[in-house]
Amino acid sequence: LAIASFTCLAHIPRFWDRPGLRWLVLIAAMVLLATAALVRQNGLVAVLMAAIVLGVLRRCEGWRRALVWAVGALVATLVLAQVLAAVAQPKSAGEDKAGGIGVRIVQHYDLIGAMAHDPTYRVSRIEQAHPAAAAAMRRGVTVYSPERVDFFERDPTLGPNIWPMPNDLVGAEWRNLITKHPKAYLAHRADVFGWVFLTPKLERCLPVFVGVEGPEPLVASLNLVNGRDPADISLANYATYFYGTPVFSHVVYALIALAVAGFLLWRRDEADYAIAGLMLSALGFTASFFVISIACDYRYLYFLDLAAMTGLFYLALDPSLRRSSDTDPRSIPA
């Protein structure tokens, strides 16, 4: 979705003097970005970068008009995302609490992770208000792993003790951790980010999934059957040939994205700004996982890998240092 939206932005300069096509492409880009932000909240990084790109593309109108275009696109996309969220929410689903639950999971992970990295760190607020929960969190250190938060399930007493705590209490303790004990917090976060970005044990980070697996009632309702057939197994085996190679390396794709962005910003064709924005948004999206990652699943950074591939493909179409069709931004009709 994000890649398609930046592709739309890359065509904006060509269509600017044709209002019908211009607005069609702009609206398509905003719909794609709004949907991307709904699919994954840190997709907002792409929304912000796309707004900046649009402003840069309209710099020929002066910085005030360019700023209006950028801010207008940003606000319109955010509003559109809210509208799409309201439309997509089933009436019988009730209040959407997924965001709040996700924040609590990150907070639990960070607090216990900080304890694991600094044995002297204490959750003093929780100790005073809920000593049993604090004790459970201390025991949770034994099942903690920077690989993924799921290992907390190995301690059946942990969840029942920590989830009943008020959000305000956990939030206050978490903020205190970040502001008063940054070394413990950053050590934990660096370890977790290392797992999702570097994938030191790739096979543990689920780089490939084949077959059908899920709750039996749900699978049956879809007329599917849990399991893997010979074709699934063959496909998974084929993928393993590329383990340990650049094909499954987020680091390699990050370096490619960085190199492509640098080259395009140096060449500075109008369309180059959009593709460079795509590269930078993918890198920013990746960086956001330093704060929010809770597992090393390879799929979390697919956007980075695909964006880097897109950038390489774009350069392959025209690798010249200066395009023969170079466009002076001042010549693009306002």
Side-chain angles (χ1 to χ4, degrees):
L1 293 170
I3 292 172
S5 67
F6 279 92
T7 301
C8 289
L9 290 177
H11 286 85
I12 286 291
R14 295 174 51 204
F15 299 139
W16 198 263
D17 60 343
R18 301 164 67 181
L21 281 176
R22 175 212 307 171
W23 285 108
L24 180 63
V25 173
L26 271 176
I27 291 171
M30 288 190 291
V31 170
L32 290 165
L33 286 166
T35 307
L38 292 177
V39 171
R40 185 163 287 280
Q41 287 84 351
N42 54 338
L44 290 172
V45 173
V47 176
L48 177 60
M49 183 56 65
I52 293 173
V53 167
L54 182 59
V56 170
L57 292 177
R58 300 316 305 156
R59 67 197 184 282
C60 57
E61 300 183 38
W63 71 268
R64 287 187 177 86
R65 289 293 301 275
L67 184 61
V68 168
W69 277 108
V71 174
L74 177 62
V75 172
T77 303
L78 295 177
V79 171
L80 181 58
Q82 293 300 313
V83 172
L84 291 176
V87 172
Q89 182 74 10
K91 294 182 179 180
S92 60
E95 183 183 357
D96 184 5
K97 299 180 180 179
I101 293 174
V103 170
R104 275 292 293 266
I105 292 174
V106 171
Q107 291 172 339
H108 292 163
Y109 197 29
D110 289 350
L111 291 169
I112 297 175
M115 291 180 181
H117 285 82
D118 181 4
T120 65
Y121 169 65
R122 299 180 62 180
V123 285
S124 55
R125 289 175 172 80
I126 295 177
E127 287 177 355
Q128 293 177 4
H130 293 270
M137 293 174 73
R138 182 63 63 184
R139 292 193 304 272
V141 170
T142 61
V143 295
Y144 163 82
S145 170
E147 179 186 333
R148 60 183 65 250
V149 72
D150 305 62
F151 289 130
F152 283 168
E153 296 178 3
R154 293 179 175 179
D155 182 352
T157 68
L158 182 58
N161 275 286
I162 62 178
W163 278 104
M165 288 189 293
N167 288 335
D168 291 344
L169 173 63
V170 177
E173 192 72 78
W174 181 69
R175 289 188 293 273
N176 182 70
L177 164 65
I178 295 172
T179 57
K180 301 295 179 61
H181 305 274
K183 288 185 178 180
Y185 171 75
L186 292 174
H188 154 67
R189 276 284 131 205
D191 269 359
V192 174
F193 185 71
W195 269 91
V196 72
F197 182 56
L198 303 176
T199 55
K201 296 182 179 179
L202 180 63
E203 65 281 359
R204 296 181 64 87
C205 298
L206 310 177
V208 174
F209 183 87
V210 297
V212 177
E213 182 177 325
E216 191 59 44
L218 177 59
V219 172
S221 70
L222 297 172
N223 295 320
L224 298 174
V225 178
N226 274 316
R228 295 169 179 79
D229 60 27
D232 295 327
I233 296 172
S234 295
L235 180 60
N237 183 61
Y238 173 76
T240 62
Y241 295 154
F242 299 95
Y243 287 7
T245 73
V247 173
F248 282 101
S249 173
H250 295 311
V251 176
V252 170
Y253 291 115
L255 292 174
I256 291 173
L258 191 61
V260 169
F263 177 81
L264 295 179
L265 290 175
W266 176 78
R267 190 170 67 175
R268 294 193 301 276
D269 183 84
E270 289 300 284
D272 289 350
Y273 288 111
I275 304 304
L278 172 62
M279 300 300 105
L280 295 176
S281 68
L283 291 169
F285 175 85
T286 300
S288 71
F289 277 87
F290 186 91
V291 178
I292 66 172
S293 180
I294 57 173
C296 71
D297 291 5
Y298 194 87
R299 62 188 173 89
Y300 288 151
L301 300 185
Y302 274 161
F303 177 35
L304 171 64
D305 298 4
L306 293 175
M309 294 179 196
T310 302
L312 277 181
F313 179 71
Y314 176 78
L315 277 184
L317 294 176
D318 183 0
S320 61
L321 298 181
R322 298 294 298 175
R323 289 189 172 184
S324 58
S325 59
D326 277 344
T327 304
D328 184 339
R330 291 170 295 182
S331 68
I332 300 175

